[in-house]
Amino acid sequence: MVHPGGLLACHDCDLLNREVEVPAGGALRCARCGSVLYRHKRDSLDRTLALTLAALVLFVVANLFPFLAFEMSGNLTQTTLITGIDQLWDQGWYLMSGLVFLTAIGAPALQITLLLYLLVPLKLGRTPWELARIFRFINRIQPWSMMEIFLIGILVSLVKLADMANIVPGLAVWSFGALIVVMAGAVAVLDPRVLWDRVGAFE
Amino acid sequence: MTAAVTGISRSLVSCHDCSLLVHTAPDDARHQSACPRCHAPLHARKTQSLSRTWALLIAAAVLYVPANLLPIMRVTSLGAAQSDTIMSGVIYLVVHGMWPLALVIFIASVAVPFIKMCVLGYLLISVQVRSTRRLLDRTRLYRLTELVGRWSMIDIYVVTILVALVQLGALATIEARPGAVYFGAVVVLTMFAAESFDPRLIWDASEGGNE
């Protein structure tokens, strides 16, 4: 829903911009600093829902199936995504374990489940309970989802161990990689106004 | 040059969560309105942005020292233990001919946090001296800082993965060391610091100087 003739204040420089109709796929930028004020995304609800559902499946696979196998001198170690986090916790590195868990598993998990909690009812024509508070929370944890950095960390680890051992990526790694792409897509096609307009309807 | 029409000059506050433009009374210490739509707290500017950002920045700078001086992991193989700091990890990669990877790690783990802290410090000072120069460039600098901060987490993840994989008792064992915790703290603190800085302050400083 567009409110032509209305005003938008830029989040980066506070300039008042006049809101105009934006064609599909286009973006409204601040006249002074170029910050994106609004991006018109087509079929946002459907596309985000589809991608988030895919993300859910990929996330479950990435956590349950074998992640990396380490083979050296006849010894084989099988790991899953959570193995490293578990190890750090067992060794007493609680803060570090917590941080890695939050950024690699926790934040993405919350994003996926809470987005589904909001989008499924919306698709069915209902308004989910506490829509505003939950969507605000989703936006707040978004920066703490760092799966793509974790993937790069995997690549670096593989290179570091290449000389001395054999590392076999499992199904979970591919699923994790796909999850990163799908989640990025879901965030990109989600139009916040689809949700905020629904909250407005309840005043 | 006429002064730009900003939200604050018209007592209009943009909700930082749902972007709703709300007409609200000028800031009063006791008065705190909430967004009528999404109930987020409304602030014309991020609360105490400068002092919070300085506090977080200084804390990050202090912890940056042990993060780099203390080892982040220890490799024990057949009785011999070797501790690695972030820099020694980079050097290891260089010695083994993996130049591009060494560069990636150096940039992500050593350069990025340092540069990010310098940039935030520069932005803070530029706002406090009410500089009117390069407003757009400084805003872009801020956006860049927000984006690249998370890349410093690479080393934390590398330690986590190596610890997960290499647990072969006396043959080879990798464990995390305290440097990693300080490093994680630096990443978290710089992320919070960038989040607490209000880029609109850059532009506010220029408003005061105009006719």
Side-chain angles (χ1 to χ4, degrees), chain A residues 3 7-16 32-35 68-70 72-73 75-77 79 83-85 87-88 91 93 95-96 99-100 103-104 132-133 136 139-140 142-150 152-161 163-164 167 196-197 199-200 203, chain B residues 4-8 10 12 14-19 21 36-41 45 73 89 92-93 96 98 101 105 136 139 143 150-151 153-168 171-172 174-178 180-181 184 188 191-192 195 198-200 203 207:
Chain A
H3 312 283
L7 294 172
L8 285 171
C10 173
H11 280 277
D12 281 353
C13 75
D14 202 28
L15 183 76
L16 285 175
R32 184 162 64 169
C33 75
S35 170
L68 291 172
F70 177 72
M72 184 171 109
S73 310
N75 294 283
L76 182 69
T77 310
T79 68
T83 303
I85 295 165
Q87 281 285 341
L88 286 174
Q91 289 174 17
W93 305 104
L95 286 177
M96 199 169 143
L99 180 63
V100 175
T103 55
R133 187 169 286 155
R136 278 169 49 205
N139 287 329
R140 260 219 307 273
Q142 163 62 29
W144 294 94
S145 176
M146 301 183 199
M147 295 184 292
E148 70 279 11
I149 317 286
F150 190 84
I152 309 232
I154 294 172
L155 293 175
V156 174
S157 307
L158 292 190
V159 174
K160 277 196 167 178
L161 292 175
D163 292 346
M164 60 196 83
I167 310 225
W196 292 127
D197 285 341
V199 176
E203 271 168 58
Chain B
V5 181
T6 59
I8 202 172
R10 295 273 190 277
L12 290 169
S14 178
C15 173
H16 65 257
D17 274 316
C18 72
S19 300
L21 210 54
R37 181 161 67 176
C38 73
H39 306 299
R45 294 289 178 265
M73 75 176 172
Y92 172 93
L93 290 169
H96 279 63
M98 301 182 223
L101 200 57
I105 300 297
L136 190 53
T139 309
R143 288 182 202 145
R150 59 226 312 268
W151 284 79
M153 285 289 287
I154 289 181
D155 261 310
I156 307 259
Y157 293 137
V158 169
V159 172
T160 308
I161 292 158
L162 291 178
V163 164
L165 293 176
V166 189
Q167 294 296 326
L168 299 173
L171 181 59
I174 295 185
E175 341 155 55
R177 299 300 295 147
V181 181
V188 170
M191 277 184 73
F192 280 135
E195 201 201 307
D198 196 330
R200 292 172 293 196
W203 299 88
E207 296 299 312

Side-chain angles (χ1 to χ4, degrees), chain B residues 73-101:
Chain B
M73 75 176 172
R74 182 166 63 197
V75 182
T76 312
S77 181
L78 301 167
Q82 185 189 322
S83 291
D84 267 320
T85 63
I86 293 176
M87 263 323 284
S88 68
V90 172
I91 292 167
Y92 172 93
L93 290 169
V94 169
V95 161
H96 279 63
M98 301 182 223
W99 270 99
L101 200 57

Side-chain angles (χ1 to χ4, degrees), chain A residues 86-157:
Chain A
D86 250 341
Q87 281 285 341
L88 286 174
W89 185 273
D90 288 341
Q91 289 174 17
W93 305 104
Y94 304 125
L95 286 177
M96 199 169 143
S97 174
L99 180 63
V100 175
F101 177 78
L102 171 74
T103 55
I105 297 181
L110 282 170
Q111 261 193 303
I112 295 170
T113 50
L114 291 177
L115 259 182
L116 284 175
Y117 167 79
L118 293 181
L119 295 176
V120 171
L122 283 176
K123 177 68 184 166
L124 298 175
R126 292 166 150 63
T127 305
W129 183 66
E130 290 283 19
L131 169 59
R133 187 169 286 155
I134 290 177
F135 189 47
R136 278 169 49 205
F137 181 74
I138 292 174
N139 287 329
R140 260 219 307 273
I141 59 168
Q142 163 62 29
W144 294 94
S145 176
M146 301 183 199
M147 295 184 292
E148 70 279 11
I149 317 286
F150 190 84
L151 194 65
I152 309 232
I154 294 172
L155 293 175
V156 174
S157 307

